[in-house]
């Protein structure tokens, strides 16, 4: 079982953090979850790494899951990037790390790379981007005809502004039966396990209205292709489902084009929740990145010696 702890960030927000594996492991994997979700969305991959000698860190982002509430002004990707830097300093202060980010988690990694370039270069040995984007809402059409996108985007932005001002209210359990078909259509592809949809709904139920609405402006505006292009030849993979209605294949393709050496994989029939829909394939991609990262680190040590 992972060791669970509460970590207080520099601005006073408390994060729920799970850790497992030896502190002196040759590599640490950090899992970052998506918007309105929590650390449990990576449970298949976390389980697969048990007993492998890998240190694993996962945490609920501010305003999500079991983490504490936040000020609306801190509901930005920049702040999430700073949070990641603080978590690494506290829980993995030494050794190479592989960062695995889904959706908002992938965008958080890009913010960390942009705002902490020296630390990123010194620490990060591999990247796994799952159903994420470096271009905000540029490619998001919600799976509907592109002519409707401007109208839907305006409605979403207006609704997000209203939700953000409802604070820490979490009324979702009352309306869960009505929300579930929408979440299923928006986040999942052709095939899914009912238990995975249930766990996704559970995570959604834990996100505060401030988190659901507050991050929308920052997420929609992010542009980090130049940041990725500056990272150099780091082992990386970009995964996406061809039924992803939030971050369609064009998002992963632009990441792979910007970041040299990125292995791009598009999964037929899969939606936005790839870690749950294609757990074995995502785990295999993670293992490949880990192997490349460890190999590259060893080569670096040999050359230095």
């Amino acid at each position: 079982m992972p060791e669970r702890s509460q970590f207080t960030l520099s601005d006073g927000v408390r994060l729920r953090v799970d850790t497992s594996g030896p502190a002196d492991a040759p590599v640490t994997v950090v899992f970052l979850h998506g918007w309105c979700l929590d650390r449990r969305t990576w449970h298949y991959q976390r389980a697969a790494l048990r007993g492998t000698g890998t240190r694993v860190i996962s945490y609920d982002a501010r305003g999500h899951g079991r983490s504490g509430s936040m000020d609306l002004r801190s509901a930005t990707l920049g702040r999430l990037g700073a949070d990641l830097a603080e978590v690494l300093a506290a829980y993995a202060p030494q050794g190479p790390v592989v960062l695995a980010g889904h959706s908002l988690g992938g965008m958080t990694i890009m913010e960390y790379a942009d705002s902490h370039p020296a630390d990123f270069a010194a620490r990060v040995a591999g990247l796994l981007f799952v159903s994420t984007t470096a271009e905000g809402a540029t490619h998001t059409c919600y799976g509907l005809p592109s002519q409707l996108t401007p109208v839907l985007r305006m409605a979403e932005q207006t609704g997000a502004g209203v939700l953000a001002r409802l604070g820490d209210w979490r009324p979702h359990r009352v309306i869960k039966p009505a929300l579930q078909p929408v979440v299923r259509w928006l986040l999942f592809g052709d095939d899914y396990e009912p238990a995975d949809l249930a766990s996704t709904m559970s995570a959604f139920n834990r996100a505060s209205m401030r988190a659901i609405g507050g991050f929308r402006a920052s997420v929609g505006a992010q542009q980090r292709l130049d940041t990725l292009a500056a990272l150099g030849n780091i082992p990386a993979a970009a995964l996406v489902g061809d039924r992803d209605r939030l971050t369609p294949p064009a998002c992963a393709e632009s990441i792979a084009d910007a970041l040299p050496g990125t292995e791009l994989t598009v999964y037929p029939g899969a939606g936005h929740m790839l870690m749950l829909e294609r757990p074995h394939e995502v785990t295999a991609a993670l293992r490949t990145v880990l192997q490349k990262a460890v190999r590259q680190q060893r080569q670096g040590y040999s050359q230095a010696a």
Side-chain angles (χ1 to χ4, degrees):
M1 293 296 292
E3 180 179 341
R4 298 170 176 173
S5 62
Q6 292 284 340
F7 175 60
T8 302
L9 295 162
S10 58
D11 66 349
V13 174
R14 291 178 297 103
L15 298 186
R16 165 68 174 272
V17 182
D18 288 357
T19 57
S20 63
D24 60 349
V27 65
T28 297
V29 176
V30 182
F31 290 112
L32 298 109
H33 65 76
W35 191 10
C36 308
L37 301 172
D38 63 29
R39 70 195 185 287
R40 295 175 297 165
T41 56
W42 287 101
H43 73 92
Y44 288 122
Q45 290 70 41
R46 291 162 60 188
L49 292 179
R50 289 178 195 148
T52 64
T54 303
R55 183 163 172 77
V56 176
I57 299 171
S58 59
Y59 65 92
D60 292 339
R62 57 177 58 223
H64 293 74
R66 297 299 187 188
S67 288
S69 60
M70 60 183 182
D71 188 283
L72 181 57
R73 292 172 296 180
S74 72
T76 67
L77 287 172
R79 181 64 242 193
L80 292 181
D83 293 351
L84 173 55
E86 291 190 38
V87 169
L88 288 175
Y91 288 89
Q94 296 180 338
V97 297
V98 169
L99 303 178
H102 170 242
S103 195
L104 182 75
M107 302 176 88
T108 298
I109 292 171
M110 298 173 206
E111 289 301 308
Y112 170 57
D114 188 72
S115 58
H116 298 76
D119 288 343
F120 190 97
R123 301 297 312 284
V124 179
L127 297 168
L128 180 67
F129 291 120
V130 180
S131 307
T132 190
T133 180
E135 300 174 274
T138 301
H139 300 291
T140 303
C141 295
Y142 313 97
L144 298 172
S146 58
Q147 300 95 314
L148 297 176
T149 300
V151 177
L152 291 171
R153 192 165 293 165
M154 183 176 297
E156 182 193 2
Q157 291 170 346
T158 301
V162 174
L163 294 179
R165 286 163 177 78
L166 294 178
D168 292 327
W169 192 37
R170 293 174 170 87
H172 317 304
R173 292 185 187 279
V174 178
I175 57 175
K176 183 177 179 179
L179 282 178
Q180 183 162 306
V182 177
V183 172
R184 181 261 175 272
W185 177 83
L186 191 62
L187 298 186
F188 287 85
D190 295 343
D191 300 306
Y192 67 96
E193 294 294 331
D196 292 332
L197 175 58
S199 67
T200 300
M201 290 302 303
S202 174
F204 187 77
N205 291 339
R206 291 181 178 180
S208 70
M209 289 295 195
R210 182 177 292 144
I212 294 172
F215 283 104
R216 175 59 183 84
S218 184
V219 167
Q222 187 188 43
Q223 297 291 324
R224 289 290 178 241
L225 290 179
D226 289 345
T227 299
L228 293 176
L231 296 182
N233 191 25
I234 182 173
L239 315 180
V240 67
D242 70 356
R243 298 289 191 274
D244 194 326
R245 297 178 174 90
L246 294 179
T247 55
C251 298
E253 291 165 2
S254 65
I255 289 173
D257 289 341
L259 183 60
T262 299
E263 184 172 342
L264 171 66
T265 306
V266 180
Y267 296 94
H272 192 64
M273 301 300 294
L274 269 182
M275 309 89 60
L276 302 179
E277 297 176 74
R278 301 288 191 274
H280 301 299
E281 291 91 333
V282 173
T283 297
L286 174 61
R287 290 186 187 278
T288 297
V289 171
L290 275 168
Q291 292 167 358
K292 290 179 179 179
V294 171
R295 189 182 310 122
Q296 194 172 90
Q297 291 293 312
R298 288 173 177 169
Q299 291 173 349
Y301 293 146
S302 297
Q303 292 173 358

